Amino acid sequence: MRSTTSFCHGFTIVLLAGAAGRATAQARLAKPVIDTLSHGIVRVRNSGPSQWLGTSGWKLVLEHTITADGGKAVFGTPISIAVDGNGRVIETDWKVDGIQVFEADGRFTRVIGRTGDGPGEFRAPVSVAVSGDTIVAFAGNQRRMTISRSNGALLTQWPANYCCSGTPPVIESRGTILLSGNYSGGRGFIRLRRDGSVVDTVHLPTAADVHAWEVANGGAYTIPFSAYTLGTFDGRGRYVSGNSVYYSLVVALRGVDTARVIALPGKR
């Protein structure tokens, strides 16, 4: 199983390797003590080692590192990272109006797109999802969705009147696209076909307003210490989100107009 981790000045691709004896290693771990404080906060304490011991169990093994190469590739503030079916690393960055592509061995290949608002052109931020060699990119400032190949070929794009997506798009196994954000009528996520037509929308319970500064290029930046919402899609296509005002998580259930709220009891 592979995983990618991003840093401000490069990427590190690691290999997660399993080994026999994992259960034995787990048995040697100290057991945590879990209790509840008087005001309802759950506390977890552990006085012993909480990591795997010895050489058994899962390990992180450095495979290789990708870094900026003299100006061809730019790493400033990564936005999203994905890996296509051939092992290519797909990255978007606040300092690049496009999509950067690296081969599986770390060699920089190309930037898909350029600065602009025409076909195949982008303005950061851009977030991506990959299925096989197909890249789905959502440009929030342009309110536009673009589908292309890893080799740079533009397949299609369409206006997307969705705002402020808090997480990159997700491509489901059936080929449909999930995107979270703010839409007319509220906050939630939308399921799209690859031609831009809408399959379904899911609206989440109303949360506290996000206070932000709007800037000249059409972007917005969260005011420090104000409430904000963060979310992600889980492996079953459900959207899990939380707002910093509340001690709760909201799970949008797939295929039904119902949300499950997981709340922490007690006072804030």
Side-chain angles (χ1 to χ4, degrees):
M1 181 168 63
R2 295 183 184 272
S3 173
T4 58
T5 304
S6 67
F7 300 94
C8 288
H9 301 291
F11 303 115
T12 300
I13 300 178
V14 297
L15 177 68
L16 300 180
R22 181 174 54 187
T24 302
Q26 287 178 323
R28 296 199 301 266
L29 299 180
K31 292 184 178 180
V33 176
I34 304 174
D35 57 11
T36 304
L37 302 178
S38 59
H39 51 289
I41 300 297
V42 176
R43 177 175 61 180
V44 180
R45 292 173 292 171
N46 195 341
S47 59
S50 56
Q51 74 277 7
W52 281 288
L53 306 176
T55 58
S56 60
W58 290 98
K59 301 182 295 295
L60 296 181
V61 178
L62 177 63
E63 189 173 274
H64 59 267
T65 301
I66 301 175
T67 59
D69 56 352
K72 294 182 179 180
V74 178
F75 298 150
T77 305
I79 297 171
S80 62
I81 304 171
V83 180
D84 76 1
N86 294 313
R88 298 186 186 95
V89 177
I90 314 298
E91 186 264 355
T92 59
D93 197 285
W94 273 99
K95 293 186 177 295
V96 179
D97 290 328
I99 303 167
Q100 300 192 117
V101 181
F102 303 84
E103 294 299 323
D105 60 5
R107 290 180 295 110
F108 174 73
T109 302
R110 65 180 59 86
V111 174
I112 298 175
R114 60 183 181 181
T115 301
D117 297 302
E121 297 177 339
F122 297 95
R123 294 188 187 275
V126 180
S127 56
V128 294
V130 176
S131 176
D133 66 344
T134 300
I135 302 173
V136 175
F138 174 66
N141 283 344
Q142 295 172 300
R143 306 285 181 91
R144 190 172 68 186
M145 192 81 77
T146 299
I147 300 181
S148 59
R149 299 291 188 196
S150 298
N151 62 9
L154 176 65
L155 298 180
T156 185
Q157 65 182 34
W158 66 85
N161 292 318
Y162 328 128
C163 170
C164 315
S165 177
T167 185
V170 171
I171 303 174
E172 298 184 285
S173 58
R174 68 182 79 176
T176 48
I177 302 166
L178 297 174
L179 183 69
S180 68
N182 297 328
Y183 315 107
S184 57
R187 179 179 62 91
F189 71 89
I190 192 166
R191 179 175 283 110
L192 304 162
R193 298 182 183 90
R194 295 198 182 188
D195 60 2
S197 58
V198 177
V199 177
D200 191 19
T201 56
V202 174
H203 286 234
L204 301 180
T206 301
D209 291 335
V210 176
H211 299 287
W213 284 302
E214 296 184 359
V215 295
N217 66 1
Y221 296 90
T222 303
I223 296 174
F225 309 115
S226 68
Y228 65 94
T229 298
L230 197 63
T232 187
F233 289 100
D234 70 5
R236 297 168 61 184
R238 301 174 303 186
Y239 186 64
V240 183
S241 65
N243 184 278
S244 57
V245 169
Y246 310 106
Y247 285 128
S248 63
L249 294 174
V250 177
V251 183
L253 305 181
R254 181 173 176 172
V256 297
D257 293 323
T258 303
R260 175 179 296 136
V261 178
I262 304 171
L264 181 67
K267 298 178 180 179
R268 288 188 290 176

